[in-house]
Structures are given as structure tokens and as C-alpha cells.
Amino acid sequence: MKRPEPIQVVKQRRDKALAALVDGVPYIQFLGITFDRRGDELTGILHYDDKLIGNPMLPALHGGVTAAFLEVTAIVTLSWSMLWDDLEAGRLEPEGLTHETLPRLPKTIDFSVDYLRSGLPRDGYARARINRSGRRYASVHVEGWQDNRERLFAQATGHFLMPQRDA
Amino acid sequence: MTQTKNDADARDRAARQFIAALPHCRALSMQVEAVAEGMAEISMPWAEAIVGDPRTGVVHGGAVSALMDTSGGAAVLSHPTAPLGTATMDLRIDYMRAATPHQKITARAVCHHVTRSIAFVRAEAFDEDRDKGPVAVANGAFTLDRGDKP
């Protein structure tokens, strides 16, 4: 029987591939979004900053920031699931991988955001669920929350065009 | 006539102040291009920081959402029924094509119907190649704060 890989090797490979997906995108850096990884599950974290405020009177996060945060989480989660199999099967080498050298990524077709309560001036979290992932299209649902996982401040559904792999 | 002009000037000033007071709009260098009754046109210049695909320099869809949301809110506030405040309830965006890198994006939102507590908005965003059609279109519902008790 094949010996399992040492845990550090596995973690390093996955973390490097995730970093290639996230770190090279200027807009993700600008908003201050990072991702926590537990196995293949990702949680997006929106790190609070004053520039994310839309309504200074309340204050509340800008609705556009909330939409962008959910869209980034959806697209990173979808891209990550697309890379995962190749990464684990050794078909994708994470060493030296950057956003520029990654395979083509899914494109947003439409995105619909449902604002449930105003975004508080503090960190936000989001997790996406891929409800359908076909050869051409994918449908993804995202939930965003702040203090309590059960009290969502926004949710969204989006459709994405998958890159054609053997084109 | 003068009254109408004064109203228009006041609305224009209010819209500009509204945008200037929003930290995120400042961070994206958004500018009011035009306002009329229930209509707002707001632009956002291309910037390295809002790029979603570093290979091509195409702006991230999320930044287009922020522009759509802002123009929608501004259109609601410029509605003749003069609401005191507004918040987005839902916003759906269709992305028709990638915005051309290094071009300014301009969103024009129209608040086409209001009820006592809700405003309905349509918006379109164009880059500088207007003849290529919109980069994205959006539909949204916004809450209306009329200052009265529910």
C-alpha cells in the first residue's frame, strides 16, 4: 500500500494553489478579502476598513462592497473546486503557480444579491455552495454573515460560464 | 422657470455631496456625471486596484456592482418625492461583456417606479465604446425612507 503523503506536503500544495488564485487579483487585495481553508472548504473573510463604508451616518458597509465580497467568494470557491481534482491528482503543479499561469477561470454571467440587513462596520464572512456545476455552466449560492452564522446580512445566487478546457 | 433651475442645481449639488460623503465611492473615485428627476449617471475611472483579471486588466465584476448600486441609490434619492434615505434590498446584475481595460465606466440608473416604501430601479453601465452596447445591466429594489412612522 502507498504511504500517505506527509501532512505538511499536502497543506503546502493546497495553500500555494489557493494563494495563486487569490493573491494575484488586485481587486481582492483592494477590498481586503482573504480565505480560510479547511480541507476543500473555503470561508471568505472581509477584513473591515473605513473605505468599505457606504453610509457614514449609520455607519454601514457599501452595498457594492457586500455584492463584490459575495461575488469574489463565489468565483474563488468555484475556481477552487475546478482546480482541486487536478491539484490532488498531480496534474497541476502548484510550485511557481501564479494567477497569470492558472488555467482560465469561470466568468460571471449574472449575479443577484439579496440584502437582508445592513452590513455592520466590522469583519464579514462568506461561504459559497455550488448547487450545479456542469461542463458549460455553474450555479452558485453564497451566504454572508458577521457576528452570527445564523443571521445572514446578505445572500446571493450567480450563474457562471465555465472555461472550455480542451479548446 | 428660475425655480425649476434652482431645483435642478440643488439636486445636482445634493447628488455630488452624497457621493463625496461615501468613503467607498471616494475610494473608487466615483463622479456624478448627471442627475435629473429619478435619474443619476455616475462614472468610475479604470484603476489598477479594481482589476479582476491581471492577465487582461479587465475590471472585476464586483467593482461594476458597486457602481451600479451607487447610481441606483442616487437615482432613488433624486426622485421628485424626495425620500430621506434609501438602502438596497436586492440587486441583480447581468454581465454582457468584459469592460475594455483603461476605459472609464459610466452607469446610468433610472428609478422608474416608487411606492410608499419601495423604489424600483433599472441601470445600465457602459465603457467608452458605447456602440458595443452595455457592459452590464441591473435591476434592483430599494427601500424608501420617507420619514413617516410605519
Side-chain angles (χ1 to χ4, degrees):
Chain A
M1 207 181 112
K2 217 173 109 186
R3 278 176 67 83
E5 285 179 298
I7 183 166
Q8 306 92 307
V9 175
V10 177
K11 278 195 169 174
Q12 209 181 41
R13 175 178 65 232
R14 294 173 181 174
D15 288 339
K16 271 192 174 151
L18 181 59
L21 198 57
V22 174
D23 294 353
V25 183
Y27 188 63
I28 298 180
Q29 306 301 316
F30 170 76
L31 289 178
I33 300 170
T34 59
F35 285 86
D36 254 15
R37 186 185 64 75
R38 297 283 180 273
D40 70 344
E41 185 195 60
L42 299 183
T43 306
I45 303 168
L46 177 71
H47 298 266
Y48 178 73
D49 186 279
D50 289 344
K51 72 166 185 282
L52 305 180
I53 290 295
N55 184 335
M57 307 295 283
L58 290 173
L61 295 180
H62 192 290
V65 169
T66 300
F69 174 46
L70 298 183
E71 188 177 335
V72 164
T73 302
I75 205 154
V76 166
T77 302
L78 187 59
S79 303
W80 176 243
S81 82
M82 198 185 93
L83 297 182
W84 178 267
D85 289 341
D86 284 346
L87 188 68
E88 293 305 301
R91 291 188 296 267
L92 185 71
E93 180 48 63
E95 203 58 53
L97 195 67
T98 67
H99 202 275
E100 273 81 4
T101 55
L102 280 174
R104 302 300 306 185
L105 298 175
K107 282 191 190 136
T108 315
I109 299 167
D110 61 60
F111 202 69
S112 184
V113 187
D114 191 0
Y115 295 88
L116 304 169
R117 37 179 73 81
S118 73
L120 302 168
R122 58 188 76 146
D123 290 357
Y125 312 98
R127 244 176 242 158
R129 187 180 65 235
I130 301 164
N131 283 328
R132 188 204 129 101
S133 178
R135 228 160 34 83
R136 294 176 67 91
Y137 312 109
S139 175
V140 182
H141 184 79
V142 207
E143 293 182 339
W145 72 96
Q146 292 189 299
D147 297 330
N148 308 113
R149 179 66 181 88
E150 294 307 309
R151 275 171 66 86
L152 303 182
F153 76 109
Q155 60 181 354
T157 300
H159 295 96
F160 298 85
L161 185 66
M162 302 304 283
Q164 293 308 296
R165 309 209 86 179
D166 36 7
Chain B
M1 201 60 185
T2 325
Q3 190 53 47
T4 316
K5 191 180 177 315
N6 284 347
D7 285 353
D9 287 351
R11 192 171 50 223
D12 204 70
R13 241 192 339 269
R16 279 172 219 283
Q17 280 167 0
F18 164 71
I19 298 301
L22 309 187
H24 192 62
C25 300
R26 274 209 306 274
L28 295 177
S29 304
M30 289 186 195
Q31 278 212 335
V32 176
E33 298 286 339
V35 255
E37 290 193 348
M39 189 285 283
E41 205 175 289
I42 293 171
S43 69
M44 175 177 72
W46 184 89
E48 187 77 53
I50 58 170
V51 165
D53 183 352
R55 261 186 288 212
T56 56
V58 169
V59 167
H60 197 282
V64 178
S65 302
L67 181 66
M68 290 292 209
D69 187 60
T70 306
S71 64
V76 173
L77 292 179
S78 61
H79 194 269
T81 56
L84 298 177
T86 184
T88 321
M89 276 181 88
D90 78 57
L91 189 68
R92 178 203 157 100
I93 303 191
D94 295 326
Y95 295 98
M96 339 299 288
R97 63 180 178 90
T100 309
H102 304 281
Q103 290 192 0
K104 180 169 88 172
I105 302 176
T106 306
R108 182 193 167 91
V110 175
C111 174
H112 58 88
H113 186 80
V114 299
T115 69
R116 211 171 57 80
S117 50
I118 306 293
F120 297 93
V121 170
R122 273 194 287 263
E124 285 187 318
F126 290 87
D127 58 16
E128 292 166 34
D129 297 325
R130 284 194 84 92
D131 46 331
K132 283 193 188 165
V135 166
V137 301
N139 272 287
F142 288 71
T143 62
L144 274 185
D145 174 10
R146 297 202 181 279
D148 49 11
K149 296 201 168 63

